[in-house]
Amino acid sequence: MNYKNESIGTITSFNWKENGFEGQAGNKKFALTFYNERICRVQASLNDSFEHYPFSVILTPQKTGIDAREKDDRLELHSPHLSVEVQKSPMRITFKTKCGEILNADDPGFGISWLGHEVTNYKSLAQDEIFLGMGEKGGGLNRRGSSFDNWNSDAFGFNNDTDPLYMSTPFFIGVREGKPYGIFLDNTFKSHFNFGTSNNNRFSYFSAEAGDLNYYFIQGDTVAQVIQEYAKLTGTCELPPKWSLGFQQCRYSYYPDHEVYNIADTFRNKKIPADVIYLDIHYMKDYMAFTFDNERFPDPKALIEKLESQGFKVVVILDPGIATKPGYGTYDRGIEQDVFVKYPDGSRYEAGVWPGNSHFTDFTSEKGRDWWADELKFYTDLGLEGFWNDMNEPACWGQDIPNMIEFDYDGQQTSHKKARNVYGFQMVRATFEGARKQLGNKRPFTLTRSGFSGVQRYSAVWTGDNVAGDDHMLLGVRLVNSLGMAGVPIAGYDIGGFVGESGPALFARWLAVATFAPFFRVHSMVNVRDSEPWAYGEEVEEIARNYINLRYKLMPYIYSLAYEAHSNGLPLNRSLAVDYYNDHNIYGGSAQDEFTLGQWLLVCPTTSEQQYAKIYLPEGEWYHFFTDEKVQGGQHLVVETTMEDLPVYAKAGAIIPMQNTVQTTQEAADGTLRLHIYFSRQNSEQLYYEDDGSTYDFKEGHFYKRQIQLNGESNTLILSAREGKLGSAFQKLKVYLHGFEADYFEINGESVNYVMEDIRLIDPVTEFDPLPQREKRNYQIKALKTLETELKDTEIKIQWK
């Protein structure tokens, strides 16, 4: 084996094929294949045939009009959006826009290279090149000058510099001279990405310790379009059940059953909305999957039914380790069906984890996934619809699984080195497919700690065992923003921190920030203080209720965004780099932590100890969400912050559907859809979507969908005619006109009177102490113009002058 760097050589032969070409460069096999007009796959191998990576990519090459040319020194492929030039000697690849501007190019000296089995692609670096994404990675928004490994790891108590973490998504977005592109390395061996660090910015590179070079180059006119093209490649999320977007309460652990009943009763008695209560590992008998402890939970079915009657779903934790205890049914059936991973000599791998010595299901095999899916019937027969997949890196005591352990890898028979990064991905796939099989027409909810690119097709993601602290609160926000840019649109973090104990101010601020996150869950570790919304005193309880109420008011908007994510892959939480990537201000300071919910609500996380915070508003006009104060964007602001105050802004042109407060997503609203419109001279639009929130009937057309368009030039707001077979859950439409100076309004050609109304989006906090400790905020929007009309299925056109 040659361990000296060996760069790919001169192209000695090639053959044109549909959508591209393949050939030999020296003794290396290569191929370039267009998958659509914006995506080109690059493969290079030491072997006579290319390796197959079956799990992430679901797109097959589309019939694409490619203009293929051979010139003396190069081969060229041109689509309507992307041009690829391949220099023949030595082989080097350059990607260009349709106008001939360079997007990305191989380093001229090294290009595609090997060191033994390790394959690397060195890329030239432009002076202003920016790198975004990579998913669950700490650090700053711009990855330039950083490097990362992809090797799924149990990273208990991680910090901003910990790498790798639990999840691997080897996909990044580059922006070169203002033009974005994406690269996804579909190789499941341990991989490494270097964005110009430790080499004086000579080059960037990505490598895998074995296997083929197998990457997909993506062209997009915007960062958002690159994300959408990547979603075509690896899939979008399932439309989640609506209850999974509500508030969720967890700890390690709630037991016995009367403690769970008490938690549920307290939420309802205190009128704090919530949808989900979790059961961590103490619900199981001796921590064994597919069991309930008979003493702690003597009647789990009755518990689940009681909570269901109160509007709660129960989610249970699932770990991959199966205790090696004869007589334990799951273990016996696993042995009988031969689904556990093995050493090369055929003996089953065994390691210690929560239930003691355990075997591990081979989720990379169809047989293993099918077996797990059948085992899941134990839970679904009890009425469970939510499943939390943990410890699935896989984790075990000692954290050092021998690399020789063998996995099926969909028939390829490979080692732990190739299978580890997809293990958690395939576990939650098995869980989702099992729940889907057992629940029939109901939508299950699955959550995972570990995964790989494509995991979004099966699961939401949370960012693992974080720590109580302001730095972790902000780190969690950045991780979720980055996961969104890596194709995982529904993600979140443990509010309040899992490790250690949060204080009142931190918990209040963390929960306020998380109100706008896709996955909204409090979770805390064993042997720490209680961490329910009422556990930090009366003042924090009110603040928590205010923000949780706001979450439920925003549910029509959030659910519409979840449908958009399902449709096109755009994340619910969007780093400012999604829409403002050419604004250099977003790559420094606190702007790196900021995000928008959809495209309209800007959230500026601030730490719990700050009395004043410096925030950044991107270009455009912005309305303070709680006061309607209008601020010009493109500038930094210093704002005062208090425990109950979070800087949130609605962009001019925003269209935000809301409802009244409910205690659970299963509770019917009051029948009035509240549509908040923020005046702008620009045109804007927002998709509005409803369905039953729990079944797959929407796939048969049982949904309610409208496009809402604001035209600032013609002074019109149009709700398109209803699409879909389902009627709306709302009968009336109330339009809140923020920033509108007009005094004359028409609805469908008929003059209507507006009504002035004072509103609050969050309530003031009570002064509990007779000696006030600080001045409380009393946010109110006064004299807001409102219009009311029947929510008809036909087009609704509102005009003003």
Short mmCIF file of all heavy atoms in Angstrom, two decimals, residues 187-227:
data_model
loop_
_atom_site.label_atom_id
_atom_site.label_comp_id
_atom_site.label_asym_id
_atom_site.label_seq_id
_atom_site.Cartn_x
_atom_site.Cartn_y
_atom_site.Cartn_z
N ASN A 187 -20.38 9.54 1.86
CA ASN A 187 -19.47 8.46 2.23
C ASN A 187 -19.59 8.31 3.73
O ASN A 187 -19.37 9.27 4.47
CB ASN A 187 -18.03 8.81 1.83
CG ASN A 187 -17.03 7.74 2.22
OD1 ASN A 187 -17.06 7.19 3.31
ND2 ASN A 187 -16.10 7.44 1.30
N THR A 188 -19.97 7.11 4.21
CA THR A 188 -20.32 6.97 5.62
C THR A 188 -19.14 6.57 6.51
O THR A 188 -19.30 6.40 7.72
CB THR A 188 -21.46 5.96 5.79
OG1 THR A 188 -21.05 4.67 5.31
CG2 THR A 188 -22.69 6.41 5.03
N PHE A 189 -17.95 6.39 5.94
CA PHE A 189 -16.76 6.25 6.77
C PHE A 189 -16.51 7.57 7.52
O PHE A 189 -17.10 8.61 7.18
CB PHE A 189 -15.54 5.93 5.91
CG PHE A 189 -15.47 4.50 5.44
CD1 PHE A 189 -15.93 4.15 4.18
CD2 PHE A 189 -14.94 3.51 6.25
CE1 PHE A 189 -15.87 2.84 3.72
CE2 PHE A 189 -14.86 2.18 5.82
CZ PHE A 189 -15.34 1.85 4.56
N LYS A 190 -15.65 7.53 8.53
CA LYS A 190 -15.27 8.76 9.21
C LYS A 190 -14.72 9.74 8.19
O LYS A 190 -13.87 9.39 7.36
CB LYS A 190 -14.21 8.46 10.28
CG LYS A 190 -13.83 9.68 11.10
CD LYS A 190 -12.84 9.31 12.20
CE LYS A 190 -12.51 10.52 13.06
NZ LYS A 190 -11.54 10.17 14.14
N SER A 191 -15.23 10.97 8.24
CA SER A 191 -14.80 11.97 7.26
C SER A 191 -14.32 13.22 7.97
O SER A 191 -14.60 13.46 9.14
CB SER A 191 -15.94 12.31 6.28
OG SER A 191 -17.08 12.80 6.95
N HIS A 192 -13.58 14.02 7.21
CA HIS A 192 -12.95 15.21 7.77
C HIS A 192 -13.14 16.36 6.77
O HIS A 192 -12.95 16.18 5.57
CB HIS A 192 -11.45 14.96 8.00
CG HIS A 192 -10.73 16.12 8.60
ND1 HIS A 192 -10.85 16.47 9.93
CD2 HIS A 192 -9.88 17.03 8.05
CE1 HIS A 192 -10.10 17.53 10.18
NE2 HIS A 192 -9.50 17.90 9.05
N PHE A 193 -13.52 17.53 7.29
CA PHE A 193 -13.70 18.72 6.46
C PHE A 193 -12.79 19.82 7.00
O PHE A 193 -12.84 20.13 8.19
CB PHE A 193 -15.16 19.18 6.49
CG PHE A 193 -16.08 18.33 5.65
CD1 PHE A 193 -16.39 17.04 6.03
CD2 PHE A 193 -16.65 18.83 4.48
CE1 PHE A 193 -17.22 16.24 5.27
CE2 PHE A 193 -17.48 18.04 3.71
CZ PHE A 193 -17.78 16.75 4.10
N ASN A 194 -12.00 20.40 6.14
CA ASN A 194 -11.08 21.47 6.51
C ASN A 194 -11.38 22.67 5.62
O ASN A 194 -11.29 22.58 4.39
CB ASN A 194 -9.62 21.02 6.33
CG ASN A 194 -8.62 22.08 6.71
OD1 ASN A 194 -8.66 23.20 6.21
ND2 ASN A 194 -7.70 21.74 7.59
N PHE A 195 -11.75 23.78 6.26
CA PHE A 195 -12.13 24.97 5.50
C PHE A 195 -11.04 26.04 5.56
O PHE A 195 -11.30 27.20 5.86
CB PHE A 195 -13.47 25.51 6.02
CG PHE A 195 -14.61 24.54 5.83
CD1 PHE A 195 -15.19 23.91 6.91
CD2 PHE A 195 -15.08 24.25 4.56
CE1 PHE A 195 -16.23 23.02 6.74
CE2 PHE A 195 -16.12 23.36 4.37
CZ PHE A 195 -16.70 22.73 5.47
N GLY A 196 -9.81 25.59 5.30
CA GLY A 196 -8.71 26.54 5.16
C GLY A 196 -7.89 26.74 6.41
O GLY A 196 -7.07 27.66 6.46
N THR A 197 -8.05 25.88 7.42
CA THR A 197 -7.27 26.05 8.63
C THR A 197 -5.95 25.29 8.55
O THR A 197 -5.85 24.27 7.87
CB THR A 197 -8.07 25.57 9.86
OG1 THR A 197 -7.38 25.94 11.05
CG2 THR A 197 -8.29 24.07 9.86
N SER A 198 -4.93 25.80 9.22
CA SER A 198 -3.60 25.17 9.36
C SER A 198 -2.88 24.98 8.03
O SER A 198 -1.96 24.18 7.93
CB SER A 198 -3.73 23.80 10.06
OG SER A 198 -4.33 23.95 11.32
N ASN A 199 -3.31 25.70 6.98
CA ASN A 199 -2.56 25.64 5.72
C ASN A 199 -2.46 27.00 5.07
O ASN A 199 -2.29 27.11 3.85
CB ASN A 199 -3.18 24.61 4.76
CG ASN A 199 -4.61 24.94 4.37
OD1 ASN A 199 -4.90 26.07 3.96
ND2 ASN A 199 -5.51 23.98 4.48
N ASN A 200 -2.58 28.06 5.90
CA ASN A 200 -2.46 29.44 5.40
C ASN A 200 -3.44 29.72 4.27
O ASN A 200 -3.13 30.44 3.31
CB ASN A 200 -1.04 29.76 4.96
CG ASN A 200 -0.08 29.83 6.14
OD1 ASN A 200 -0.50 30.14 7.26
ND2 ASN A 200 1.17 29.51 5.90
N ASN A 201 -4.62 29.14 4.38
CA ASN A 201 -5.67 29.35 3.37
C ASN A 201 -5.25 28.94 1.97
O ASN A 201 -5.71 29.50 0.98
CB ASN A 201 -6.13 30.82 3.37
CG ASN A 201 -7.04 31.13 4.55
OD1 ASN A 201 -8.00 30.40 4.81
ND2 ASN A 201 -6.73 32.19 5.26
N ARG A 202 -4.36 27.96 1.88
CA ARG A 202 -3.93 27.51 0.55
C ARG A 202 -5.06 26.76 -0.15
O ARG A 202 -5.23 26.87 -1.36
CB ARG A 202 -2.70 26.62 0.66
CG ARG A 202 -2.25 26.07 -0.67
CD ARG A 202 -0.96 25.28 -0.58
NE ARG A 202 -0.62 24.70 -1.87
CZ ARG A 202 0.47 23.99 -2.10
NH1 ARG A 202 1.34 23.77 -1.13
NH2 ARG A 202 0.71 23.49 -3.31
N PHE A 203 -5.80 25.96 0.62
CA PHE A 203 -6.90 25.19 0.03
C PHE A 203 -7.88 24.80 1.14
O PHE A 203 -7.58 24.91 2.34
CB PHE A 203 -6.39 23.93 -0.67
CG PHE A 203 -5.39 23.12 0.11
CD1 PHE A 203 -5.74 22.47 1.29
CD2 PHE A 203 -4.06 23.02 -0.32
CE1 PHE A 203 -4.82 21.74 2.01
CE2 PHE A 203 -3.13 22.29 0.41
CZ PHE A 203 -3.50 21.65 1.58
N SER A 204 -9.06 24.37 0.74
CA SER A 204 -9.97 23.65 1.63
C SER A 204 -10.00 22.21 1.14
O SER A 204 -9.56 21.91 0.02
CB SER A 204 -11.38 24.26 1.58
OG SER A 204 -11.97 24.09 0.31
N TYR A 205 -10.51 21.31 1.98
CA TYR A 205 -10.61 19.93 1.50
C TYR A 205 -11.60 19.14 2.34
O TYR A 205 -11.97 19.54 3.45
CB TYR A 205 -9.25 19.23 1.49
CG TYR A 205 -8.58 19.03 2.83
CD1 TYR A 205 -8.82 17.88 3.60
CD2 TYR A 205 -7.66 19.96 3.31
CE1 TYR A 205 -8.18 17.69 4.81
CE2 TYR A 205 -7.01 19.77 4.52
CZ TYR A 205 -7.28 18.63 5.27
OH TYR A 205 -6.64 18.44 6.48
N PHE A 206 -12.05 18.03 1.78
CA PHE A 206 -12.85 17.06 2.52
C PHE A 206 -12.32 15.68 2.18
O PHE A 206 -11.86 15.42 1.06
CB PHE A 206 -14.34 17.19 2.23
CG PHE A 206 -14.72 17.28 0.78
CD1 PHE A 206 -14.99 16.15 0.03
CD2 PHE A 206 -14.83 18.53 0.16
CE1 PHE A 206 -15.35 16.24 -1.30
CE2 PHE A 206 -15.20 18.63 -1.17
CZ PHE A 206 -15.46 17.48 -1.91
N SER A 207 -12.35 14.78 3.19
CA SER A 207 -11.75 13.47 3.00
C SER A 207 -12.57 12.43 3.74
O SER A 207 -13.34 12.73 4.65
CB SER A 207 -10.31 13.46 3.53
OG SER A 207 -10.28 13.68 4.93
N ALA A 208 -12.39 11.17 3.33
CA ALA A 208 -12.97 10.01 4.02
C ALA A 208 -11.87 8.99 4.21
O ALA A 208 -11.02 8.81 3.33
CB ALA A 208 -14.12 9.42 3.21
N GLU A 209 -11.86 8.33 5.37
CA GLU A 209 -10.72 7.47 5.67
C GLU A 209 -10.70 6.20 4.83
O GLU A 209 -9.70 5.48 4.80
CB GLU A 209 -10.68 7.11 7.16
CG GLU A 209 -11.83 6.29 7.66
CD GLU A 209 -11.64 5.91 9.12
OE1 GLU A 209 -10.88 6.58 9.85
OE2 GLU A 209 -12.26 4.91 9.53
N ALA A 210 -11.78 5.90 4.12
CA ALA A 210 -11.82 4.77 3.19
C ALA A 210 -13.02 4.96 2.27
O ALA A 210 -13.79 5.91 2.41
CB ALA A 210 -11.91 3.44 3.93
N GLY A 211 -13.18 4.05 1.32
CA GLY A 211 -14.30 4.14 0.39
C GLY A 211 -14.02 5.08 -0.76
O GLY A 211 -12.89 5.59 -0.93
N ASP A 212 -15.03 5.32 -1.56
CA ASP A 212 -14.89 6.17 -2.74
C ASP A 212 -15.02 7.65 -2.39
O ASP A 212 -15.65 8.02 -1.39
CB ASP A 212 -15.99 5.85 -3.76
CG ASP A 212 -15.81 4.48 -4.40
OD1 ASP A 212 -14.74 3.87 -4.23
OD2 ASP A 212 -16.76 4.03 -5.06
N LEU A 213 -14.45 8.48 -3.26
CA LEU A 213 -14.88 9.87 -3.30
C LEU A 213 -16.24 9.86 -3.99
O LEU A 213 -16.36 9.41 -5.14
CB LEU A 213 -13.90 10.73 -4.08
CG LEU A 213 -14.30 12.21 -4.14
CD1 LEU A 213 -14.11 12.87 -2.79
CD2 LEU A 213 -13.52 12.97 -5.22
N ASN A 214 -17.25 10.32 -3.28
CA ASN A 214 -18.61 10.26 -3.81
C ASN A 214 -19.35 11.49 -3.30
O ASN A 214 -19.87 11.50 -2.18
CB ASN A 214 -19.30 8.97 -3.32
CG ASN A 214 -20.73 8.86 -3.81
OD1 ASN A 214 -21.02 9.04 -4.99
ND2 ASN A 214 -21.65 8.57 -2.89
N TYR A 215 -19.33 12.54 -4.13
CA TYR A 215 -19.99 13.76 -3.66
C TYR A 215 -20.92 14.31 -4.73
O TYR A 215 -20.81 14.01 -5.92
CB TYR A 215 -18.97 14.79 -3.19
CG TYR A 215 -18.19 15.55 -4.25
CD1 TYR A 215 -18.67 16.73 -4.82
CD2 TYR A 215 -16.91 15.11 -4.63
CE1 TYR A 215 -17.92 17.44 -5.74
CE2 TYR A 215 -16.15 15.82 -5.55
CZ TYR A 215 -16.66 16.98 -6.12
OH TYR A 215 -15.93 17.68 -7.03
N TYR A 216 -21.85 15.14 -4.25
CA TYR A 216 -22.85 15.77 -5.11
C TYR A 216 -22.64 17.27 -5.03
O TYR A 216 -22.66 17.87 -3.94
CB TYR A 216 -24.26 15.42 -4.65
CG TYR A 216 -24.59 13.95 -4.78
CD1 TYR A 216 -24.16 13.04 -3.81
CD2 TYR A 216 -25.33 13.46 -5.85
CE1 TYR A 216 -24.45 11.69 -3.91
CE2 TYR A 216 -25.62 12.11 -5.97
CZ TYR A 216 -25.18 11.23 -5.00
OH TYR A 216 -25.47 9.89 -5.10
N PHE A 217 -22.42 17.89 -6.18
CA PHE A 217 -22.26 19.34 -6.25
C PHE A 217 -23.62 19.94 -6.61
O PHE A 217 -24.29 19.48 -7.54
CB PHE A 217 -21.22 19.73 -7.29
CG PHE A 217 -20.96 21.21 -7.31
CD1 PHE A 217 -19.99 21.75 -6.48
CD2 PHE A 217 -21.69 22.07 -8.12
CE1 PHE A 217 -19.75 23.12 -6.48
CE2 PHE A 217 -21.47 23.43 -8.12
CZ PHE A 217 -20.49 23.96 -7.30
N ILE A 218 -24.03 20.96 -5.85
CA ILE A 218 -25.35 21.56 -6.01
C ILE A 218 -25.22 23.04 -6.32
O ILE A 218 -24.54 23.78 -5.59
CB ILE A 218 -26.19 21.38 -4.73
CG1 ILE A 218 -26.34 19.88 -4.39
CG2 ILE A 218 -27.55 22.03 -4.87
CD1 ILE A 218 -26.96 19.64 -3.02
N GLN A 219 -25.83 23.47 -7.39
CA GLN A 219 -25.90 24.90 -7.72
C GLN A 219 -27.27 25.43 -7.31
O GLN A 219 -28.30 24.78 -7.49
CB GLN A 219 -25.70 25.12 -9.23
CG GLN A 219 -25.68 26.58 -9.66
CD GLN A 219 -27.06 27.20 -9.89
OE1 GLN A 219 -28.01 26.50 -10.20
NE2 GLN A 219 -27.16 28.51 -9.74
N GLY A 220 -27.27 26.61 -6.70
CA GLY A 220 -28.52 27.29 -6.40
C GLY A 220 -28.32 28.78 -6.55
O GLY A 220 -27.23 29.30 -6.25
N ASP A 221 -29.34 29.47 -6.99
CA ASP A 221 -29.21 30.92 -7.14
C ASP A 221 -29.17 31.63 -5.79
O ASP A 221 -28.71 32.76 -5.68
CB ASP A 221 -30.36 31.47 -7.98
CG ASP A 221 -30.33 30.95 -9.42
OD1 ASP A 221 -29.24 30.54 -9.88
OD2 ASP A 221 -31.40 30.93 -10.06
N THR A 222 -29.70 30.96 -4.75
CA THR A 222 -29.68 31.48 -3.39
C THR A 222 -29.32 30.33 -2.44
O THR A 222 -29.38 29.15 -2.82
CB THR A 222 -31.05 32.04 -2.98
OG1 THR A 222 -32.00 30.97 -3.01
CG2 THR A 222 -31.50 33.16 -3.92
N VAL A 223 -28.96 30.66 -1.22
CA VAL A 223 -28.72 29.62 -0.22
C VAL A 223 -29.98 28.80 -0.01
O VAL A 223 -29.92 27.57 0.11
CB VAL A 223 -28.22 30.26 1.10
CG1 VAL A 223 -28.31 29.25 2.25
CG2 VAL A 223 -26.79 30.75 0.95
N ALA A 224 -31.13 29.46 0.04
CA ALA A 224 -32.39 28.74 0.22
C ALA A 224 -32.60 27.73 -0.90
O ALA A 224 -33.09 26.61 -0.66
CB ALA A 224 -33.56 29.73 0.28
N GLN A 225 -32.24 28.08 -2.11
CA GLN A 225 -32.41 27.16 -3.23
C GLN A 225 -31.44 25.98 -3.13
O GLN A 225 -31.80 24.85 -3.47
CB GLN A 225 -32.23 27.88 -4.57
CG GLN A 225 -32.63 27.02 -5.76
CD GLN A 225 -32.67 27.79 -7.05
OE1 GLN A 225 -31.79 28.60 -7.34
NE2 GLN A 225 -33.71 27.57 -7.85
N VAL A 226 -30.22 26.22 -2.65
CA VAL A 226 -29.29 25.11 -2.44
C VAL A 226 -29.88 24.12 -1.44
O VAL A 226 -29.84 22.90 -1.64
CB VAL A 226 -27.92 25.63 -1.95
CG1 VAL A 226 -27.02 24.46 -1.54
CG2 VAL A 226 -27.23 26.46 -3.02
N ILE A 227 -30.46 24.64 -0.35
CA ILE A 227 -31.09 23.77 0.65
C ILE A 227 -32.23 22.98 0.02
O ILE A 227 -32.38 21.77 0.28
CB ILE A 227 -31.59 24.61 1.84
CG1 ILE A 227 -30.41 25.25 2.58
CG2 ILE A 227 -32.42 23.75 2.80
CD1 ILE A 227 -30.80 26.30 3.61
#
